[in-house]
Amino acid sequence: MAEARLGDRKQSLWTRIKRIALTDVGALMRGLNADDLEKMERVLIEADFGVAATVELTQALEDEVRRGKLKTEADLKEALESRLSAMLNGSENPGALARATMGPTIILLVGVNGTGKTTSAAKLGWRLQREGRKVLLAAADTYRAGAIAQLQVWADRLGLPCVAGAAGGDPAAVAFDAIDAAQSRGLDTVVVDTAGRLHSQEGLRDELRKVVRVIGRRVPGAPHETLLVLDGTVGQNAVQQGRLFAQAVSPTGIIVTKLDGSARGGAVTALRRELNLPIRFLGMGESVDDLEAFDPRRFAAHLLAEPA
């Protein structure tokens, strides 16, 4: 169902590109002129691909047209899909998260408020539980009482244990207590939700660094995954958020959320291209099962889905 929604939402992108590149029967034969390329760049920018990805795509197409490799609509679409897939590819198995060799695996979720970070923590916990892991959720966003309550509600609904501190408490202490609880209960994975205003407040960025230090002291090598949760609807703002969070932690991948609404999927390409981090999961809706492992080839195909 999520796959169909994604395809429906992206159909206009291919229509607009095709209209530019195939203005007449011999358009590809004569080559893409400067006006064609400018129009194509505008289409890609408007679809949130960002400047770097847009330039790479248009230059690649121009080169292949010049060398006579693209002669038909099918050639053009196949070349675009292949190039997009290559740009999006960043991990052999995006959905396979690290497992600690000793002690519990610690997975940290970071991102600004409103990206769906807390919901993603719950969905990820559910996904990992279905894979056979024994999961505990940690509500370490103590700066927002609503986040604590939200994760506790999700935990109750999914039957997952949850460790939470008091609002305004020490996030690092919550993470520490969660690791202790996981070890005492024989659980092998801890998913930690964190505060979400770090992109604009240095004090909170320092707090996140403290959480990472405490986790690392408690479990050597932890966190084993640090997933950056970004909202796919905000375009280049998500890229900037990612850069700022990367100054505080070392992300191992990205979860792109809110792709069930009006998000323009080009943002996923921009994030992969400009942050140089693998896309690990896509948030496709509100259901607990709507966290999908990223498939570059399938996503590229949906970006260029044929109109109905």
Side-chain angles (χ1 to χ4, degrees):
M1 184 68 175
E3 187 172 328
R5 289 197 302 269
L6 183 56
D8 290 343
R9 199 169 60 253
K10 302 297 180 279
Q11 289 170 355
S12 62
L13 177 62
W14 172 240
T15 299
R16 295 177 70 187
I17 290 175
K18 184 169 61 174
R19 187 179 300 127
I20 294 165
L22 302 172
T23 51
D24 56 63
V25 175
L28 289 177
M29 298 297 289
R30 66 166 167 75
L32 298 173
N33 59 36
D35 187 52
D36 294 331
L37 292 170
E38 184 178 341
K39 289 176 180 176
M40 193 172 296
E41 287 176 350
R42 187 180 307 120
V43 167
L44 293 171
I45 291 290
E46 288 174 354
D48 278 341
F49 278 79
V51 174
T54 292
V55 170
E56 182 175 335
L57 279 169
T58 52
Q59 287 183 346
L61 285 179
E62 181 184 18
D63 182 58
E64 295 207 27
V65 169
R66 188 187 306 115
R67 289 188 292 167
K69 290 190 172 184
L70 307 184
K71 298 179 180 180
T72 67
E73 176 182 329
D75 290 342
L76 175 64
K77 188 173 184 183
E78 183 179 349
L80 260 177
E81 189 173 312
S82 178
R83 175 64 64 164
L84 276 170
S85 180
M87 291 171 67
L88 289 164
N89 193 36
S91 179
E92 186 175 339
N93 189 353
L97 298 181
R99 286 180 181 265
T101 54
M102 292 185 63
T105 300
I106 314 300
I107 301 173
L108 202 65
L109 266 64
V110 302
V112 303
N113 291 339
T115 60
K117 176 171 50 63
T118 300
T119 300
S120 294
K123 290 179 179 180
L124 184 60
W126 173 247
R127 180 186 178 90
L128 294 173
Q129 180 175 256
R130 286 185 300 158
E131 293 176 0
R133 300 208 199 188
K134 299 175 182 177
V135 181
L136 180 143
L137 301 178
D141 184 358
T142 59
Y143 296 100
R144 191 166 64 91
I148 298 172
Q150 184 183 5
L151 195 61
Q152 289 174 318
V153 168
W154 271 109
D156 289 342
R157 185 184 307 169
L158 301 176
L160 295 172
C162 180
V163 169
D170 182 358
V174 175
F176 188 95
D177 291 345
I179 295 170
D180 274 355
Q183 291 182 322
S184 66
R185 300 178 196 182
L187 307 179
D188 57 32
T189 304
V190 180
V191 178
V192 183
D193 185 24
T194 63
R197 292 173 288 169
L198 304 170
H199 69 297
S200 60
Q201 297 188 24
E202 184 61 34
L204 287 173
R205 207 152 44 228
D206 288 340
E207 193 67 56
L208 181 55
R209 295 187 186 102
K210 178 184 174 183
V211 170
V212 171
R213 288 195 305 271
V214 168
I215 288 174
R217 285 199 297 265
R218 187 65 183 82
V219 178
H224 304 94
E225 298 276 7
T226 300
L227 301 179
L228 180 58
V229 183
L230 297 170
D231 180 346
T233 67
V234 300
Q236 292 301 298
N237 283 339
V239 174
Q240 180 63 13
Q241 290 168 14
R243 288 176 178 147
L244 289 167
F245 271 89
Q247 294 172 10
V249 295
S250 299
T252 57
I254 300 171
I255 298 175
V256 184
T257 62
K258 304 193 179 180
L259 290 176
D260 58 322
S262 60
R264 292 166 291 187
V268 177
T269 310
L271 290 167
R272 169 71 189 104
R273 175 69 172 72
E274 298 186 37
L275 296 180
N276 194 29
L277 291 169
I279 309 296
R280 306 297 291 274
F281 297 97
L282 300 180
M284 301 300 299
E286 295 301 319
S287 166
V288 69
D289 295 315
D290 288 333
L291 186 70
E292 301 182 0
F294 184 64
D295 183 327
R297 172 64 68 174
R298 189 175 69 175
F299 191 79
H302 283 308
L303 282 173
L304 300 174
E306 289 279 11

